[in-house]
Amino acid sequence: PKDLKRWLSPLLLAVWYMDDGHLDRGKYPLFSTESFSKADVKFLSDILKTNFGLISKVTSKRRLRILSQSKDRFFQLIEPYIHNNLKYKLP
């Protein structure tokens, strides 16, 4: 949705990560967003920067990766909401 910016919270980010995210190379948060258009993934990337100061990039496969300078901040935001059964998705 175009107004996603106002709805995206740390809780929603954590739920999204638990569902469609994983650790790439054991340390970089990566979201499986291949089914979205490149423009939509860029839109998501921009929202992460605006709402949370997270720097991310759209990969060549249209996945959304949180970059190294933001990964610690990302995990600080979502860790309180990660279900015990999904802690393996954390570094």
Side-chain angles (χ1 to χ4, degrees), residues 12-26:
L12 189 81
L13 192 59
V15 170
W16 180 27
Y17 182 70
M18 286 185 284
D19 185 40
D20 290 330
H22 69 276
L23 282 177
D24 186 39
R25 300 179 196 165

Side-chain angles (χ1 to χ4, degrees), residues 14-79:
V15 170
W16 180 27
Y17 182 70
M18 286 185 284
D19 185 40
D20 290 330
H22 69 276
L23 282 177
D24 186 39
R25 300 179 196 165
K27 56 185 170 181
Y28 300 108
L30 185 77
F31 290 92
S32 297
T33 51
E34 299 92 336
S35 64
F36 299 120
S37 71
K38 189 172 184 174
D40 285 343
V41 181
K42 174 73 170 105
F43 175 69
L44 290 167
S45 178
D46 291 344
I47 291 173
L48 292 178
K49 185 174 184 182
T50 300
N51 282 21
F52 308 110
L54 297 173
I55 308 301
S56 59
K57 79 171 199 169
V58 180
T59 71
S60 61
K61 295 181 180 181
R62 292 193 323 268
R63 294 178 179 165
L64 185 64
R65 177 181 302 191
I66 307 296
L67 298 183
S68 61
Q69 62 264 42
S70 292
K71 68 181 180 135
D72 291 340
R73 168 94 174 115
F74 172 78
F75 288 121
Q76 287 172 352
L77 286 168
I78 69 164
E79 188 169 13

